[in-house]
């Protein structure tokens, strides 16, 4: 079968761009080749697998799972059913940290998933910083480590398995004096209602444990802020910047939670490119 024949057979059944990308990955040639060479004869032994991938997409499986990877901040990340597929709106978190131009900082990514945020940062920032990635899912962490290796950053980023900041506290990684901390988190933040209304491909194929959080989507952030509050009084009084990805309707609900655990914090919210409140920045001096 040629590329054209495959395209004709599946025309209108899946998105044409997805079809091109699945063909491109099956024949291991760039999308430009798929567009420019409709007459290309696809090797027979690849056809069955190619059709299987197209039917997976037809059933609603995310393209990133079928291809096994997803681009984020111009880098390529392996993704599986155990990791959240990196979302474009999360790139703001990376941009916000880059604006701070960190030097000699401890940068911590809580809920690292595929490692997309911390790896993008470690790749961009040349100066000396310490990078930590944490996830409660061992399976996700395994993928994050593979992604760090893929990007030659396995020496630069240390990954820990555990609940929020606990593994760093247990391993005494936060007892660093005279150093600023940048704590980033894109933790599960969808409320029951929003998770319930999420598209089927999200609910059927992405881990609920990466998306849903009780108490209007804020239980994970509340627990993290509580940990940081305790950390601030007991272990480490150094200044900290906390950057959280949020759901737009959480702006007003999050403020009193922050003030409860970090009364002296300065709080700023920021919109994403779609004009929705997406980032919460917290400064503790
Ligand atoms: C929304 S996903 C974000 C993944 C990735 N950072 C990104 O931006 O695409 C949330 C991640 O937090 C992890 N997670 C959930 N609860 C956690 C906890 N209590 N401690 C650490 N990580 C947690 C999940 O396993 C998941 O990988």
């Amino acid at each position: 079968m040629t590329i054209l024949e495959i395209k004709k057979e599946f025309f209108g059944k899946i998105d044409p761009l997805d079809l091109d990308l699945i063909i491109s990955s099956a024949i291991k040639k760039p999308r430009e080749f798929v567009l420019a060479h409709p007459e290309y004869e696809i090797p027979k032994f690849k056809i069955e697998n190619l059709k299987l991938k197209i039917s997976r997409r037809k059933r609603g499986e995310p393209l990133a799972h079928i291809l096994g990877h997803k681009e984020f901040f111009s880098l390529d990340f392996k993704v599986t059913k155990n990791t959240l597929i990196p979302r474009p709106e999360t790139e703001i978190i990376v941009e916000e940290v880059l604006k701070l131009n960190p030097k000699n900082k401890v940068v911590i990514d809580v809920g690292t998933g595929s490692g997309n945020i911390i790896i993008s940062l470690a790749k961009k920032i040349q100066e000396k910083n310490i990078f930590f990635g944490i996830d409660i899912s061992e399976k996700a962490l395994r993928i994050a480590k593979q992604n760090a290796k893929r990007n030659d950053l396995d020496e630069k980023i240390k990954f820990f398995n555990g609940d929020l900041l606990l593994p760093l506290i247990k391993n005494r990684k936060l007892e660093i004096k005279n150093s600023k901390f940048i704590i980033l988190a894109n933790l599960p933040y969808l409320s029951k209602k929003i998770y319930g209304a999420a598209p089927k491909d999200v609910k059927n194929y992405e881990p609920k444990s990466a998306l849903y959080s009780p108490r209007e989507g804020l239980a994970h952030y509340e627990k993290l802020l509580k940990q940081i509050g305790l950390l601030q009084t007991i272990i480490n009084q150094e200044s900290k910047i906390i950057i959280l990805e949020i759901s737009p309707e959480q702006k007003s609900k999050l403020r009193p939670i922050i003030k409860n655990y970090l009364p002296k914090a300065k709080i700023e919210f920021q919109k994403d490119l779609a004009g929705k409140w997406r980032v919460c920045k917290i400064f503790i001096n």
Side-chain angles (χ1 to χ4, degrees):
M1 275 183 108
T2 63
I3 288 179
L4 184 63
E5 283 166 337
I6 279 281
K7 282 193 173 189
K8 275 188 181 161
E9 186 173 331
F10 291 98
F11 180 78
K13 294 191 176 135
I14 65 168
D15 179 89
L17 171 63
D18 291 358
L19 184 55
D20 285 351
L21 293 172
I22 293 174
I23 298 172
S24 146
S25 125
I27 62 173
K28 296 195 169 47
K29 293 191 187 292
R31 181 171 175 240
E32 294 69 36
F33 180 93
V34 175
L35 293 175
H37 295 282
E39 78 295 347
Y40 177 81
E41 192 76 37
I42 303 170
K44 252 198 187 123
F45 71 96
K46 291 190 174 169
I47 298 284
E48 197 183 331
N49 187 261
L50 172 61
K51 287 191 174 178
L52 187 75
K53 285 182 170 167
I54 297 171
S55 60
R56 282 168 65 190
R57 185 69 196 111
K58 244 172 80 186
R59 283 200 300 273
E61 190 171 340
L63 184 69
H65 283 176
I66 297 166
L67 302 179
H69 61 101
K70 173 80 183 171
E71 190 182 294
F72 178 85
F73 220 78
S74 304
L75 294 174
D76 193 43
F77 290 90
K78 176 176 174 176
V79 291
T80 68
K81 60 180 176 23
N82 299 307
T83 57
L84 188 88
I85 300 167
R87 307 292 204 265
E89 59 267 29
T90 302
E91 292 190 354
I92 314 183
I93 305 265
V94 179
E95 279 158 9
E96 283 307 307
V97 181
L98 292 180
K99 274 190 216 159
L100 298 170
N101 194 19
K103 287 186 186 98
N104 296 313
K105 305 275 187 295
V106 181
V107 186
I108 305 168
D109 177 21
V110 190
T112 198
S114 63
N116 51 321
I117 299 176
I118 199 79
I119 291 170
S120 304
L121 284 170
K123 194 83 189 167
K124 280 270 172 200
I125 306 169
Q126 299 302 321
E127 282 79 9
K128 214 166 169 277
N129 290 283
I130 296 172
F131 295 96
F132 293 128
I134 306 160
D135 207 289
I136 201 157
S137 156
E138 273 186 57
K139 287 179 178 166
L141 210 59
R142 214 171 294 147
I143 303 299
K145 286 179 187 167
Q146 288 176 23
N147 279 326
K149 201 161 189 190
R150 258 188 189 203
N151 287 288
D152 295 323
L153 291 165
D154 43 333
E155 299 282 312
K156 214 168 167 186
I157 308 170
K158 297 276 169 279
F159 289 100
F160 292 86
N161 178 231
D163 187 10
L164 308 174
L165 294 171
L166 278 186
L168 295 189
I169 297 171
K170 278 188 196 152
N171 287 287
R172 307 185 73 166
K173 295 290 180 197
L174 299 177
E175 295 168 32
I176 306 170
K177 292 270 173 239
N178 304 317
S179 185
K180 271 204 174 157
F181 286 75
I182 303 175
I183 302 173
L184 318 164
N186 177 18
L187 282 164
Y189 62 68
L190 298 188
S191 64
K192 193 174 175 187
K193 190 172 158 203
I194 295 183
Y195 182 77
K200 269 202 189 121
D201 54 347
V202 172
K203 282 198 284 192
N204 290 348
Y205 294 97
E206 296 198 80
K208 186 175 180 185
S209 56
L211 291 159
Y212 165 72
S213 185
R215 297 206 292 285
E216 300 188 88
L218 287 169
H220 285 73
Y221 284 142
E222 175 158 11
K223 194 170 171 192
L224 176 67
L225 291 162
K226 191 176 176 183
Q227 278 186 359
I228 297 173
L230 285 172
L231 187 69
Q232 203 64 19
T233 46
I234 301 167
I235 303 175
N236 177 308
Q237 278 86 42
E238 309 300 324
S239 68
K240 295 179 183 63
I241 299 174
I242 306 159
I243 305 181
L244 312 175
E245 182 175 318
I246 60 161
S247 181
E249 83 289 352
Q250 289 170 338
K251 180 175 178 262
S252 58
K253 295 169 196 151
L254 191 54
R255 194 182 281 276
I257 299 177
I258 300 168
K259 283 288 173 192
N260 185 28
Y261 297 108
L262 300 162
K264 290 186 188 150
K266 195 173 141 264
I267 307 166
E268 279 176 21
F269 288 92
Q270 205 173 312
K271 289 182 177 170
D272 62 17
L273 290 175
K276 295 185 172 160
W277 295 111
R278 186 63 63 195
V279 176
C280 172
K281 291 197 276 184
I282 306 164
F283 302 85
I284 320 171
N285 280 311

